[in-house]
Amino acid sequence: MDKIYQSDFYSISANKVNQGKFEATALSETSLTSNYESPVNLEISPALAFKFSLNGKDNEMAPGKNHLINIISSNGVFETPVIRFGHPSADGSTVGKGVFLKPDTKLTIRLDMRDVLADFRDKGFYTTYDGTKIYKADFKGVFVAGSIIPLTWDFDNLWNHKELELHDTDGDGIFTLSLEMNKPQAKKTTASSWTLSKDITAFPQYKSDVPMMDALYNLSLEEMQNAVEPDSTFRTGKEWAGVWTRDISYSIILSMATLQPKVAEYSLLRKVKNDRIIQDTGSGGSWPVSSDRMIWAVAAWEVYKTTGDKEWLAKAYQVIKNSVEDDLKNIYDPKTGLVKGESSFLDWREQTYPKWMEPADIYASENLGTNAVHYQTNRVLSQMAVLMKDDHAAAKYSEIAEQIKAGINNHLWMEGKGYYGQYLYGRQFQLLSPRSEALGEALTVLFGIADPERQKSVIANTPVTNFGIPCIYPQIPNIPPYHNDAVWPFVQSYWSLAVAKTGNADALMRSMSAIYRPAALFLTNKENFVSSTGDFAGTVINSSNMLWSLSGNISIIYKVLFGMDIHENSLVFKPFVPEILKGKRTLNNFKYRNAVLDITLSGFGNIIKSITLDGEVLPAATVPSNLTGTHQIVIALANNQVQKGKIGLVKNKFSVAAPLIKLGGEMISWNKVEGAVAYRIIRNGKETDKINGLDYVAPNSGEYQVVAEDAEGVPSFASEPVLIYAPEKIKLIDLALVAEKSELPYKGFSGRGFIEISKTKNRKVTIEVNVPERGTYALDFRYSNGNGPTNTDNKCAIRTFSVDDVFAGTFVFPQRGKDEWSDWGYSNTNIVELTSGSHQFTLSFEDWNENMNGEINQAMLDELRVIRIN
């Protein structure tokens, strides 16, 4: 067989994958070899970019500003000069050609913290470059982040890297840290060979004329067995212990419901608490900032369709229904028809969001992938309700699904690009981020959110790079690869399923190859790899034996080539075999409910010429769910020529950085952004002007942002919003005058004090507000929450907001830093219409405001801000 796939970057044949000098070979269906070694091992530059961090946050200098030094030493020891915190340092030397970082170099970093310590002593706080005040009581330590291992740019987890904390051992204000650079044990490599070592005969046996695909299928089955823990739950990955809601759910949908239905059930039930789905990770304290836990529902439905277990159906139905009802009160936006919350699986803030966005801002964003998940959840719930004979619920959730579908198509579709935008974001007003979001794009096709015409458009136009479909496009500058500038094989698998649905054979072969290349060269199903290089070693975090990656690898055989589509009462075959893969393939011992199927598939195309069950014609290519025993299915494809499809192939690209803007009266100014040729002025979520300068006088009141644009017209993220309103339009209400003032010793509040809200204190706060004139008002609270870091844990505080006893929205108060109770910021914004006169605002803790922690639901509230915006 000739090359199955050929590009300028790699090729795949029947038994080999070649990428430059690297080659993987399938010696048989149970044995593989590879000589791949990450290029980062070959030549590590001594040029180090780094910056310091108070309390593990990216707060020393503006994004893109780093200290620069070349670690060049003749004796293996290098010491930096003393660097003042907050002042960029560069040694000015150049690195000659062929000069690399010597192995086992001892690097000592020296930091002058005397300015910071003096501010702590004299003022009680230090003010960072962006105006944030860090109080002396909240200071926990200073860390270093950087570009060469063992340094990392992972600010969200820097606090956990105690080995990167600097210390002042003699009390002179100079903090130091010594590190071993370019250690041999840090060499990035994978196994050089794989031979099947486990018994996989209990699972479906796949054979074809392509030994490489056969071997990678068997490798994935073996890794699947590695991913089942002794307690019969799934392990997320070799480096990721435990059961994670979204990981297991996406894996179950791909293939684990078929292969491991009982393990799937046990794992899903592990993620249930109080008969509700657990959101086990996410920014600012988990749900509702992150809200993609509902993919659990789609996975639970997949298990039911596979098993037909009525007891499982009843159990899952109640859990899903309870969870949706909580969501209806906390995350649904009646104005757009969309749901709020962080991007599904893309839950590392700066990897897919502007740096200025706090967890409260992320909560208020309305993301493509997350909304696709909630659409499908409500469809699933409606279908379950029919089976449970609950007609009212069936109609209710079907209607909600249609509202979300309409919202996605009305607010996220980009007609000029031919695919959907990433999310709506902002504060008082929202605008659409025009980046693509690969998983969300795929789900709109698979779930039928896009109509058939748009489905083909999404597949043809969504940006795809040389090594696969990146999570987002274009990439974000100054952010290391993980979700940014990365391809995730499980996302590539969902993309492959979507591509197959639209009948685009060229796009399908490219997508399948993007799954097989890394699995063959790395000899494992990796978590991710760098989009621009195809290398596994460049991402911030990576794991082998990744559950959803191996599940996706297997799904290509089941759901694409054999086209198995499991319904609640049947198994339907919709095979798609690209012509380059024509030939005979078998899948034996495939279990469907109480039947065992031995399947033979021949030919190519996506039209069935004939299909028989035990020699008899199989009507509508459909296997009924009541079939029992062992049976032979023979499928012959029509060898139909599939119309050549378009592919959105692009060079990997980074946008320019978002401007950092300042406000002085009505004058907005910003820094010159490298690579930018123009700046778009955004007022209240709409573009009003485009200029070349670096300042702008706002002609009207409102919320303003600036977007930088490069020479190709590609925009940056929008800057952080600034507010320009006349003082009489803004009313600040000191909450220490509304409820009992807290005696806790926290600093930085703006008025006479602050109040504490928790499950025992101020469960209901009533605020009397006199409104001078009828209009539209934006409301938010200044608050602090030191119950956890900004990137994880589960103690986001949640409250229901009512105006004159009528529900008016939800306020969330996400975590802002572990024990950093003097770090104040603003909640999300609620927009309300008010008549002139007296109104009663109520902030209350209701049953549906229970967070994922269940015990701690606490924040400190400083003031309520009321702004007339129209």
Side-chain angles (χ1 to χ4, degrees):
M1 181 180 286
D2 294 332
K3 290 280 194 298
I4 293 171
Y5 176 78
Q6 176 74 58
S7 76
D8 294 338
F9 296 86
Y10 67 94
S11 65
I12 300 178
S13 61
N15 66 341
K16 291 185 183 295
V17 172
N18 293 94
Q19 181 181 320
K21 67 179 183 179
F22 301 124
E23 181 174 271
T25 303
L27 303 177
S28 71
E29 64 190 31
T30 59
S31 181
L32 291 159
T33 62
S34 173
N35 66 351
Y36 186 84
E37 182 178 331
S38 170
V40 302
N41 295 328
L42 306 179
E43 42 190 58
I44 298 178
S45 170
L48 173 66
F50 64 103
K51 65 199 313 182
F52 300 105
S53 159
L54 301 180
N55 295 347
K57 295 183 178 180
D58 187 2
N59 52 17
E60 184 195 11
M61 297 180 289
K65 286 189 177 181
N66 301 313
H67 305 292
L68 304 171
I69 202 158
N70 297 319
I71 311 173
I72 300 175
S73 169
S74 59
N75 61 357
V77 177
F78 187 91
E79 188 174 89
T80 72
V82 176
I83 301 169
R84 285 178 67 194
F85 186 91
H87 295 262
S89 172
D91 64 11
S93 65
T94 58
V95 178
K97 187 176 181 181
V99 176
F100 305 115
L101 179 62
K102 290 183 177 295
D104 292 318
T105 296
K106 182 179 180 180
L107 170 67
T108 298
I109 300 172
R110 299 188 295 164
L111 169 66
D112 184 350
M113 281 281 287
R114 287 176 293 188
D115 292 345
V116 177
L117 298 175
D119 278 0
F120 283 156
R121 182 186 64 244
D122 299 338
K123 303 177 184 177
F125 60 85
Y126 172 78
T127 304
T128 64
Y129 76 91
D130 63 353
T132 300
K133 292 180 180 178
I134 299 176
Y135 285 84
K136 180 179 180 180
D138 285 352
F139 175 61
K140 304 298 187 300
V142 59
F143 297 77
V144 61
S147 59
I148 302 176
I149 293 173
L151 297 180
T152 174
W153 288 118
D154 180 11
F155 284 99
D156 275 341
N157 292 296
L158 198 57
W159 172 255
N160 298 319
H161 289 276
K162 298 301 182 183
E163 73 278 8
L164 301 181
E165 184 176 3
L166 291 86
H167 297 279
D168 179 7
T169 55
D170 57 8
D172 64 352
I174 307 299
F175 286 63
T176 61
L177 174 66
S178 293
L179 297 167
E180 295 290 332
M181 309 298 288
N182 197 11
K183 295 170 68 175
Q185 56 264 43
K187 190 174 183 179
K188 294 293 185 179
T189 187
T190 54
S192 59
S193 65
W194 168 81
T195 300
L196 182 66
S197 60
K198 292 184 181 292
D199 181 4
I200 59 171
T201 56
F203 303 105
Q205 303 295 294
Y206 173 70
K207 290 186 179 181
S208 72
D209 298 329
V210 186
M212 179 59 72
M213 292 174 65
D214 300 356
L216 291 174
Y217 172 80
N218 290 330
L219 179 149
S220 298
L221 285 183
E222 180 170 273
E223 291 200 325
M224 173 193 69
Q225 290 180 289
N226 295 338
V228 178
E229 298 281 32
D231 65 354
S232 293
T233 61
F234 287 122
R235 181 184 180 91
T236 300
K238 184 178 180 181
E239 308 299 328
W240 294 104
V243 181
W244 296 76
T245 303
R246 69 170 66 95
D247 297 61
I248 62 165
S249 298
Y250 280 116
S251 303
I252 288 165
I253 297 163
L254 285 168
S255 61
M256 289 301 104
T258 293
L259 291 171
Q260 300 276 7
K262 278 300 176 187
V263 177
E265 285 187 16
Y266 297 148
S267 299
L268 289 170
L269 289 177
R270 183 69 63 86
K271 308 313 296 183
V272 173
K273 180 180 179 182
N274 298 328
D275 282 333
R276 285 160 175 80
I277 303 164
I278 295 172
Q279 181 80 43
D280 49 20
T281 184
S283 295
S286 186
W287 184 82
V289 176
S290 253
S291 59
D292 70 337
R293 61 180 179 153
M294 301 311 297
I295 193 64
W296 187 102
V298 187
W301 180 236
E302 194 73 16
V303 170
Y304 171 71
K305 290 190 298 179
T306 302
T307 64
D309 184 341
K310 297 291 187 183
E311 184 178 338
W312 171 256
L313 173 68
K315 187 181 300 181
Y317 175 69
Q318 196 58 55
V319 169
I320 298 166
K321 188 176 180 182
N322 291 342
S323 304
V324 168
E325 288 299 320
D326 285 351
D327 281 349
L328 285 170
K329 297 289 203 315
N330 290 294
I331 65 171
Y332 278 65
D333 182 350
K335 296 182 180 67
T336 62
L338 297 170
V339 299
K340 303 174 183 180
E342 195 161 33
S343 303
S344 183
F345 113 88
L346 303 173
D347 63 339
W348 188 340
R349 292 184 307 148
E350 63 188 32
Q351 285 283 331
T352 45
Y353 288 92
K355 276 182 172 284
W356 59 263
M357 286 184 72
E358 300 280 359
D361 301 315
I362 292 174
Y363 159 79
S365 67
E366 298 176 358
N367 165 261
L368 176 64
T370 299
N371 272 275
V373 166
H374 282 268
Y375 164 76
Q376 191 68 359
T377 292
N378 280 281
R379 279 192 64 205
V380 162
L381 192 53
S382 178
Q383 291 170 283
M384 285 183 164
V386 170
L387 296 176
M388 298 296 293
K389 296 180 170 43
D390 188 344
D391 294 340
H392 173 75
K396 173 182 176 179
Y397 299 118
S398 178
E399 182 180 348
I400 293 171
E402 290 305 309
Q403 290 171 359
I404 297 172
K405 180 178 180 179
I408 292 172
N409 284 298
N410 291 338
H411 296 285
L412 302 183
W413 178 254
M414 299 185 295
E415 192 63 45
K417 292 182 179 290
Y419 53 89
Y420 294 91
Q422 184 183 18
Y423 46 63
L424 299 176
Y425 70 118
R427 283 189 178 147
Q428 292 181 358
F429 298 89
Q430 293 186 318
L431 67 158
L432 177 63
S433 168
R435 281 180 163 85
S436 64
E437 192 232 280
L439 180 60
E441 311 289 350
L443 296 182
T444 63
V445 174
L446 289 171
F447 295 160
I449 294 167
D451 62 31
E453 183 179 346
R454 282 189 175 181
Q455 289 176 21
K456 291 182 178 180
S457 178
V458 166
I459 298 304
N461 294 299
T462 300
V464 175
T465 55
N466 294 315
F467 290 103
I469 186 164
C471 293
I472 61 170
Y473 187 91
Q475 316 303 334
I476 306 171
N478 307 312
I479 299 296
Y482 184 63
H483 294 138
N484 188 56
D485 191 20
V487 175
W488 286 57
F490 99 90
V491 175
Q492 191 76 54
S493 298
Y494 276 96
W495 182 249
S496 298
L497 302 185
V499 167
K501 183 178 179 181
T502 65
N504 189 328
D506 293 338
L508 179 58
M509 276 313 305
R510 176 175 286 274
S511 187
M512 290 170 58
S513 299
I515 294 168
Y516 289 137
R517 179 203 69 88
L521 290 175
F522 308 156
L523 294 181
T524 184
N525 288 284
K526 280 285 189 183
E527 180 178 4
N528 50 50
F529 54 85
V530 181
S531 177
S532 52
T533 65
D535 185 31
F536 69 87
T539 58
V540 178
I541 303 170
N542 209 337
S543 176
S544 301
N545 207 129
M546 200 68 182
L547 179 66
W548 49 17
S549 300
L550 68 91
S551 300
N553 199 319
I554 294 168
S555 75
I556 298 302
I557 305 300
Y558 299 169
K559 292 180 179 286
V560 175
L561 297 181
F562 285 85
M564 289 188 278
D565 185 11
I566 301 178
H567 297 208
E568 56 263 44
N569 290 309
S570 62
L571 166 61
V572 181
F573 286 93
K574 302 174 183 177
F576 188 179
V577 178
E579 184 173 2
I580 195 69
L581 296 177
K582 64 184 177 183
K584 180 181 176 181
R585 48 188 35 85
T586 60
L587 186 65
N588 295 328
N589 194 34
F590 184 87
K591 298 178 178 65
Y592 172 58
R593 298 209 180 171
N594 295 314
V596 177
L597 307 178
D598 294 334
I599 312 163
T600 300
L601 174 65
S602 61
F604 66 88
N606 59 357
I607 298 175
I608 295 175
K609 178 181 178 182
S610 64
I611 180 168
T612 61
L613 174 68
D614 300 331
E616 300 291 330
V617 173
L618 183 62
T622 299
V623 177
S625 59
N626 60 359
L627 187 70
T628 61
T630 301
H631 300 272
Q632 284 70 46
I633 293 178
V634 179
I635 308 171
L637 293 175
N639 294 340
N640 60 298
Q641 295 294 326
V642 180
Q643 185 176 358
K644 187 174 178 62
K646 181 186 169 188
I647 301 171
L649 183 63
V650 295
K651 290 182 179 180
N652 200 36
K653 180 180 177 62
F654 289 77
S655 73
V656 293
L660 300 174
I661 66 176
K662 297 179 181 178
L663 180 63
E666 296 176 351
M667 171 73 78
I668 305 167
S669 60
W670 54 91
N671 63 307
K672 180 175 175 56
V673 174
E674 183 180 355
V677 298
Y679 300 91
R680 304 176 188 175
I681 308 301
I682 308 296
R683 176 181 176 267
N684 295 350
K686 304 293 183 184
E687 182 176 338
T688 58
D689 208 346
K690 184 188 286 191
I691 63 174
N692 302 114
L694 299 178
D695 55 54
Y696 180 81
V697 177
N700 300 294
S701 63
E703 181 180 70
Y704 282 85
Q705 296 171 276
V706 178
V707 174
E709 185 181 282
D710 69 12
E712 298 176 16
V714 176
S716 70
F717 278 132
S719 68
E720 183 169 13
V722 294
L723 303 180
I724 300 179
Y725 291 103
E728 63 268 18
K729 300 294 185 183
I730 303 173
K731 184 179 184 68
L732 302 177
I733 299 171
D734 186 346
L735 295 176
L737 302 177
V738 172
E740 182 181 356
K741 184 175 75 170
S742 172
E743 298 301 322
L744 291 167
Y746 307 143
K747 309 293 184 181
F749 50 86
S750 58
R752 299 188 184 185
F754 56 90
I755 67 172
E756 177 183 358
I757 58 171
S758 69
K759 293 181 72 172
T760 58
K761 295 183 179 179
N762 291 313
R763 285 176 62 99
K764 183 175 182 179
V765 178
T766 300
I767 309 164
E768 298 289 342
V769 179
N770 186 55
V771 175
E773 52 188 342
R774 183 186 186 91
T776 305
Y777 290 80
L779 283 64
D780 56 11
F781 288 86
R782 190 168 187 261
Y783 82 99
S784 74
N785 182 346
N787 280 313
T790 56
N791 66 316
T792 186
D793 218 328
N794 57 9
K795 303 182 186 74
C796 176
I798 314 163
R799 294 297 182 273
T800 292
F801 179 63
S802 301
V803 176
D804 301 328
D805 295 324
V806 176
F807 177 80
T810 299
F811 278 107
V812 299
F813 309 100
Q815 299 162 186
R816 296 184 58 82
K818 179 65 174 173
D819 296 325
E820 294 181 44
W821 286 101
S822 297
D823 183 337
W824 300 86
Y826 283 95
S827 69
N828 61 301
T829 300
N830 273 297
I831 307 295
V832 296
E833 300 291 331
L834 298 173
T835 58
S836 61
S838 179
H839 292 276
Q840 187 179 83
F841 295 169
T842 304
L843 199 65
S844 61
F845 178 78
E846 306 294 345
D847 291 344
W848 53 83
N849 298 140
E850 195 72 77
N851 63 17
M852 292 295 114
N853 182 269
E855 295 182 9
I856 299 173
N857 199 317
Q858 175 194 36
M860 307 299 148
L861 304 187
D862 177 18
E863 64 184 12
L864 168 64
R865 182 169 60 175
V866 182
I867 304 175
R868 187 182 177 196
I869 60 175
N870 194 13

